[in-house]
Amino acid sequence: MNRIKVLYVITGLTTGGAEMMLYKNVTLIDRRKYEPIVVSLTPKGVISTWIEEEGIPVYSLHIEKGIRSIIMGVCRYYKIIKEFNPHIIHAHLFHADFLSRIVGKVAKVPVMIGTIHSEDIGGRNRELLLLLTDRLTDYITVVCQTIATKLISSRVINRKKTEVIFNGINVDEFQVTNRKVINGFTDEIQILSVGRLHKEKNFSLLIEVVEDLISTYPTLKCLIAGDGEEEETLNRLVKERGLQDHVFLLGRRFDIPQLLANSDLFVLPSNCEGMSVAVLEAMASSKLVIATDVGGTAEIIREETGIIIPPYDKQQLYSAIKKVIEMREKKRKEMGKKARERVEKEFDINETVKKTERLYDRLLTEKAPLKG
């Protein structure tokens, strides 16, 4: 029996929520039925290595700034498509989706799918490009209902060919319960936040709130795991505020389950999100989460499993953290237990993959015969 060939394409394969979801989907898909390959528009990143270790080919188009690099990359992409001859192209993030709509159409790929991971596609011009090329794609998946509703109402995507498929995680990876020493931190009050160090994550707001809290809670520690373009700016802010003993930028980490086990609460102060994998992982670790009401975060967190606050609101973030610190341990553990139960029930990665496979099968049945 010939397998269904699926070409996954994404803008890049450095660490990030969309990149991790592609990694999980491509490695968990039923390879008795599907034959996957992965294409990155930009040079290979760390996740490329992880995918290749699973026996899945990864190609880079080596696209960088400059018209010559773009043209060469497009030519490479077309060649890869023609040689692999996929039944499906599944694109993630704007640049990969937009490019695939055009090149995939020219290459006569039977089924084209794009996945939208964030409420901020990158401005109105990008939204218009997706609208203008809508007829070139067969289906759009969106990682949460909030974003889908917003983009449908603004006519960026077509309701009739859109489906919400939630991000998911492997809950079993987050069962570490024993607190142990990491970077010398043991008994202090520990706040953990995880994410790319980009402006949209608004870690500067969290740092400013920690500055206000330490007069009342002098043993408070805030650990931020991740790397990115804001690293130098955030380090400078920590030094300017004299918070070197309270705020620690850990860089990129691969021991997130243990960091979560060591933390007392998890905070995500983002201005913009999709369906936050970091929040799902924190909840799977039975941690009470404080997060801003952006993207699909409020679809994950319910009143009994965490605290939702408005974005950009320093006072609300301060009050929420203070409330959790002063909360009875029994209450905090009850909320953490309910948080894990919710993720187990609604956001299992295996169900995410199954829904994606069912979509592939349905679209191939519906579309491939129409395209000869």
Side-chain angles (χ1 to χ4, degrees):
M1 178 181 173
N2 293 330
R3 291 186 293 170
I4 297 169
K5 294 183 176 182
V6 185
L7 187 155
Y8 294 87
V9 58
I10 191 166
T11 303
L13 283 169
T14 55
T15 52
E19 295 81 359
M20 285 303 300
M21 286 311 303
L22 182 145
Y23 164 70
K24 291 175 181 178
N25 273 275
V26 78
T27 54
L28 290 174
I29 196 169
D30 184 356
R31 278 189 266 172
R32 294 168 300 179
K33 183 175 181 179
Y34 303 94
E35 179 184 352
I37 68 166
V38 177
V39 175
S40 171
L41 270 57
T42 55
K44 293 181 180 181
V46 63
I47 296 178
S48 305
T49 303
W50 300 349
I51 295 172
E52 289 173 328
E53 287 173 351
E54 296 291 332
I56 299 167
V58 179
Y59 302 88
S60 171
L61 304 185
H62 298 285
I63 295 178
E64 298 175 347
K65 291 184 178 180
I67 188 65
R68 186 175 184 275
S69 175
I70 293 171
I71 292 172
M72 292 294 291
V74 170
C75 292
R76 290 189 194 101
Y77 190 31
Y78 181 80
K79 183 179 179 182
I80 290 169
I81 292 172
K82 295 305 288 185
E83 288 179 353
F84 183 57
N85 194 25
H87 299 91
I88 300 168
I89 288 181
H90 190 163
H92 295 259
L93 301 177
F94 169 77
H95 292 94
D97 190 5
F98 178 68
L99 178 61
S100 295
R101 292 180 182 200
I102 297 168
V103 180
K105 183 70 172 180
V106 173
K108 298 181 180 179
V109 176
V111 174
M112 301 291 303
I113 303 170
T115 292
I116 295 176
H117 290 268
S118 175
E119 59 186 330
D120 181 12
I121 294 174
R124 187 56 183 164
N125 287 340
R126 290 188 183 182
E127 292 179 351
L128 287 171
L129 286 172
L130 292 185
L131 177 62
L132 291 171
T133 58
D134 177 71
R135 64 186 179 84
L136 303 181
T137 193
D138 294 300
Y139 221 75
I140 297 291
T141 67
V142 188
V143 297
C144 67
Q145 187 60 55
T146 303
I147 296 174
T149 300
K150 175 184 174 183
L151 295 178
I152 289 169
S153 63
S154 59
R155 299 185 178 181
V156 176
I157 59 178
N158 186 335
R159 181 190 303 274
K160 294 180 179 179
K161 56 180 186 180
T162 297
E163 180 176 342
V164 173
I165 299 180
F166 289 142
N167 284 345
I169 63 168
N170 182 353
V171 180
D172 293 338
E173 292 178 1
F174 297 89
Q175 292 185 330
V176 179
T177 55
N178 296 324
R179 190 162 182 164
K180 61 183 187 180
V181 177
I182 294 181
N183 293 352
F185 309 131
T186 50
D187 298 327
E188 303 93 343
I189 301 167
Q190 282 191 33
I191 297 170
L192 178 66
S193 195
V194 177
R196 293 174 294 113
L197 303 186
H198 288 197
K199 286 185 178 180
E200 65 186 30
K201 298 297 183 181
N202 206 6
F203 288 123
S204 59
L205 180 68
L206 176 58
I207 292 169
E208 291 171 5
V209 169
V210 170
E211 181 183 20
D212 294 341
L213 284 164
I214 58 175
S215 59
T216 306
Y217 309 103
T219 64
L220 179 66
K221 307 293 184 187
C222 177
L223 282 59
I224 300 173
D227 59 6
E229 61 192 28
E230 285 286 289
E231 185 169 359
E232 184 178 338
T233 300
L234 293 173
N235 269 314
R236 186 165 57 248
L237 178 62
V238 170
K239 291 178 182 177
E240 289 173 353
R241 302 297 176 95
L243 297 172
Q244 295 94 323
D245 294 330
H246 297 278
V247 177
F248 303 86
L249 302 182
L250 305 181
R252 182 187 300 172
R253 298 292 290 251
F254 301 104
D255 58 346
I256 300 301
Q258 188 64 63
L259 289 173
L260 283 163
N262 278 26
S263 67
D264 296 292
L265 68 150
F266 183 89
V267 176
L268 189 73
S270 299
N271 304 332
C272 176
E273 280 292 338
M275 173 66 73
S276 173
V277 173
V279 166
L280 293 175
E281 292 175 346
M283 291 173 66
S285 301
S286 301
K287 298 302 173 181
L288 196 156
V289 175
I290 299 169
T292 46
D293 189 5
V294 293
T297 305
E299 296 177 47
I300 309 173
I301 299 173
R302 296 290 184 259
E303 185 176 350
E304 71 276 9
T305 63
I307 300 173
I308 293 287
I309 61 172
Y312 304 102
D313 195 321
K314 183 178 179 181
Q315 184 56 49
Q316 289 264 24
L317 181 56
Y318 174 92
S319 299
I321 294 175
K322 187 173 186 292
K323 178 181 178 179
V324 174
I325 291 174
E326 297 183 355
M327 186 181 290
R328 290 182 297 112
E329 184 179 7
K330 181 180 178 181
K331 175 66 173 176
R332 194 165 66 233
K333 286 185 175 181
E334 286 175 355
M335 293 180 72
K337 181 174 180 288
K338 289 179 179 177
R340 180 178 171 88
E341 289 171 353
R342 175 159 174 74
V343 174
E344 286 177 326
K345 182 179 179 181
E346 302 291 343
F347 302 101
D348 187 299
I349 184 61
N350 294 303
E351 185 58 28
T352 299
V353 174
K354 287 177 183 176
K355 287 181 178 179
T356 304
E357 289 179 349
R358 287 196 291 269
L359 177 64
Y360 291 168
D361 295 345
R362 178 166 64 82
L363 290 177
L364 274 175
T365 300
E366 292 175 357
K367 299 289 182 178
L370 297 178
K371 296 189 177 183

